[in-house]
């Protein structure tokens, strides 16, 4: 229900931890601080949503970069990252927060340690800040919060990609707030200062559910129904929100043209899947029924060739022509036929007995570093 802190600070000195936290507090930046102790770090839990990890360079007394015990220092940092970072919750950046930061040594060591699937734990960008520029390292007294903010923004500007995607995340958060405000504003001012406010807001939410799912289906799946209404509004708010007036410029800097004008088939497949298909692959995913609007389902006929001919007037030979799917005869055995439910939204809202409309689709496998579940476990994005 509640969002986690985007800034996380880890240090083994309590007064250093207090100093950076007070500095971030002064900037109105919510911060979660963790006092490192090698006896308690094993109990730490992941912190979803971390975007900036302030990490002290010397977490273990006597073990630091460039000494005989540097492996101990790097192992402690690796342990912190794997315990606190949730790769599935988006990218993050490391700010090496030290009195004499050695960013090069940190990058080299993390690149060596996080390989294969563990590469997901690597930050999207690295930066270094000297503690003494922002706090008194002897007692933790804060110096100039504005300098810290300016220096963080300067470091992030060196990674235009990270800056752009974090700006987009901020736009989404601000847009969500605007959408929530618009919902509350549907309750009359006369009802705000009475005990009836909750009931009135409940009535508004019910009407929104009716608008999204149909007048008789508001209570069947209210979350999905309300999302049918709010998500398009949210998209409009995101498009409109540009408080700094430079969102377009940020994205221009973030995009790096590829030397090849046309992407390879695996790249096209990965991008098209991301754009069009929402997978139901996590334990908390809402179930998708074959009759749901947008559902991608397995081709339900044993004799595929005959079903293609009967339902779509397609022979296998014709299907394998470039003019249909761009598939060749030798690809037939590798591909799987799918159906995509594309019935009208009004039919979804006012269900009646009768046929449902499905499009013929093709799941074409490609080599991927991370195998994905079949498409029929997902839903096509409404586009």
């Amino acid at each position: 229900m509640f969002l986690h802190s985007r800034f996380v600070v880890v240090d083994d000195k309590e007064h250093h931890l207090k100093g950076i936290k007070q500095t971030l507090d002064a900037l109105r930046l919510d911060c979660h601080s963790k006092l490192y102790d090698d006896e308690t770090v094993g109990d730490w839990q992941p912190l979803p949503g971390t975007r900036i990890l302030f990490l002290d360079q010397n977490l273990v007394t006597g073990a630091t970069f460039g000494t005989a015990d540097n492996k101990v220092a790097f192992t402690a940092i690796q342990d912190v990252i794997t315990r606190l970072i949730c790769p599935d919750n988006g990218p993050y950046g490391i700010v090496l927060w030290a009195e004499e930061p050695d960013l090069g040594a940190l990058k080299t060591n993390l690149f060596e340690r996080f390989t294969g699937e563990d590469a997901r734990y690597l930050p999207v960008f690295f930066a270094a800040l000297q503690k003494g520029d922002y706090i008194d390292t002897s007692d933790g007294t804060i110096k100039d919060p504005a300098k810290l903010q300016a220096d963080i923004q300067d470091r992030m500007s060196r990674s235009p990609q990270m800056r752009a995607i974090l700006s987009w995340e901020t736009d989404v958060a601000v847009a969500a707030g605007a959408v929530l405000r618009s919902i509350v504003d549907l309750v009359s001012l006369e009802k705000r200062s009475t005990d009836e406010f909750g009931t009135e807001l409940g009535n508004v939410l019910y009407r929104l559910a009716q608008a999204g799912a149909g007048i008789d289906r508001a209570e069947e799946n209210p979350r999905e129904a309300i999302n049918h209404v709010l998500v398009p509004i949210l998209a409009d708010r995101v498009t409109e929100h540009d408080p700094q007036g430079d969102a377009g410029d940020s994205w221009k800097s973030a995009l790096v043209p590829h030397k090849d004008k046309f992407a390879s088939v695996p790249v096209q497949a990965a991008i098209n899947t991301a754009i069009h298909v929402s997978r139901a692959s996590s334990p908390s995913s809402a179930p998708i029924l074959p009759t749901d609007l947008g559902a991608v389902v397995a081709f339900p006929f044993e004799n595929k060739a005959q079903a293609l001919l009967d339902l779509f007037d397609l022979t296998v030979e014709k299907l394998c022509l470039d003019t249909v799917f761009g598939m060749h005869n030798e690809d037939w055995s590798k591909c799987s036929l799918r159906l995509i439910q594309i019935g009208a939204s009004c039919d979804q809202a006012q269900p009646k007995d009768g046929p449902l409309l499905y499009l013929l689709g093709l799941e074409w496998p490609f080599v991927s570093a991370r195998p994905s579940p079949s498409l029929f476990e997902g839903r096509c994005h409404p586009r």
Side-chain angles (χ1 to χ4, degrees):
M1 180 184 294
F2 300 107
L3 295 176
H4 297 270
S5 298
R6 292 300 192 243
F7 287 81
V8 176
V9 184
V10 178
D11 206 308
D12 66 320
K13 295 182 177 62
E14 190 167 5
H15 59 285
H16 287 185
L17 198 65
K18 181 179 179 181
I20 185 62
K21 178 169 176 55
Q22 288 180 336
T23 302
L24 292 170
D25 286 345
L27 297 169
R28 295 179 298 170
L29 298 173
D30 183 43
C31 164
H32 184 87
S33 59
K34 302 287 289 186
L35 182 63
Y36 181 86
D37 185 310
D38 56 4
E39 294 184 358
T40 60
V41 67
D43 297 328
W44 287 7
Q45 299 295 315
L47 298 174
T50 300
R51 293 292 175 260
I52 304 293
L53 174 60
F54 281 83
L55 195 54
D56 183 34
Q57 181 169 283
N58 308 316
L59 295 173
V60 180
T61 304
T64 186
F65 298 7
T67 68
D69 291 329
N70 62 355
K71 288 186 178 180
V72 176
F74 288 125
T75 299
I77 289 175
Q78 179 184 16
D79 192 28
V80 167
I81 292 173
T82 54
R83 291 188 183 281
L84 296 185
I85 296 301
C86 303
D88 291 335
N89 282 271
Y92 78 104
I94 280 183
V95 174
L96 190 58
W97 163 250
E99 296 181 58
E100 295 183 7
D102 188 345
L103 192 59
L106 177 69
K107 292 171 68 173
T108 298
N109 200 275
L110 291 186
F111 289 155
E112 291 175 352
R113 289 169 177 260
F114 290 120
T115 59
E117 277 293 303
D118 286 343
R120 300 172 67 216
Y121 284 101
L122 286 170
V124 178
F125 83 99
F126 293 84
L129 297 175
Q130 287 186 298
K131 290 182 179 182
D133 290 345
Y134 313 100
I135 66 171
D136 186 325
T137 56
S138 62
D139 60 10
T141 303
I142 67 174
K143 291 183 177 180
D144 186 358
K147 174 176 172 54
L148 177 64
Q149 184 175 41
D151 288 349
I152 291 175
Q153 290 176 336
D154 173 69
R155 302 305 190 274
M156 288 186 62
S157 295
R158 301 175 191 178
S159 174
Q161 293 75 29
M162 185 69 176
R163 180 179 179 179
I165 57 180
L166 289 187
S167 295
W168 180 83
E169 183 178 40
T170 301
D171 290 346
V172 172
V174 173
V179 173
L180 293 179
R181 180 76 263 164
S182 67
I183 294 174
V184 173
D185 285 345
L186 293 175
V187 178
S188 65
L189 292 175
E190 293 77 13
K191 301 292 185 180
R192 300 284 179 89
S193 59
T194 71
D195 291 337
E196 298 178 16
F197 174 71
T199 300
E200 291 294 322
L201 183 57
N203 289 339
V204 167
L205 296 176
Y206 184 81
R207 295 303 186 195
L208 289 174
Q210 284 186 318
I215 196 166
D216 295 322
R217 304 189 68 185
E219 298 179 71
E220 288 185 14
N221 191 337
R223 179 176 181 271
E224 181 176 339
I226 289 176
N227 276 331
H228 278 305
V229 176
L230 299 189
V231 170
I233 300 174
L234 177 64
D236 288 338
R237 295 287 194 274
V238 172
T239 302
E240 295 169 4
H241 176 68
D242 183 11
Q244 306 300 325
D246 61 355
D249 293 336
S250 295
W251 281 105
K252 287 179 181 178
S253 300
L255 301 183
V256 179
H258 198 281
K259 59 180 181 174
D260 298 325
K261 182 177 181 180
F262 297 103
S264 64
V265 170
V267 171
Q268 291 181 50
I271 296 297
N272 287 334
T273 300
I275 292 174
H276 295 289
V277 179
S278 174
R279 299 190 185 281
S281 56
S282 70
S284 58
S285 296
I288 298 173
L289 299 176
T291 55
D292 285 348
L293 187 63
V296 183
V297 301
F299 200 68
F301 307 99
E302 286 189 22
N303 191 332
K304 296 180 180 179
Q306 188 63 46
L308 282 173
L309 187 61
D310 293 343
L311 299 175
F312 301 99
D313 194 27
L314 274 175
T315 62
V316 174
E317 292 74 23
K318 187 175 181 180
L319 184 70
C320 292
L321 294 175
D322 285 345
T323 53
V324 183
F325 281 116
M327 183 175 64
H328 303 289
N329 285 319
E330 59 268 24
D331 296 322
W332 171 252
S333 61
K334 306 173 189 175
C335 298
S336 300
L337 295 174
R338 304 297 183 207
L339 295 178
I340 304 169
Q341 212 282 74
I342 61 163
S345 56
C346 58
D347 291 338
Q348 182 82 359
Q350 304 175 46
K352 297 179 181 179
D353 291 339
L356 290 174
L357 183 62
Y358 287 85
L359 284 179
L360 178 65
L362 187 71
E363 182 178 348
W364 197 336
F366 61 94
V367 177
S368 173
R370 298 178 61 200
S372 301
S374 298
L375 294 188
F376 65 83
E377 297 176 358
R379 180 200 308 267
C380 280
H381 297 310
R383 298 180 66 82

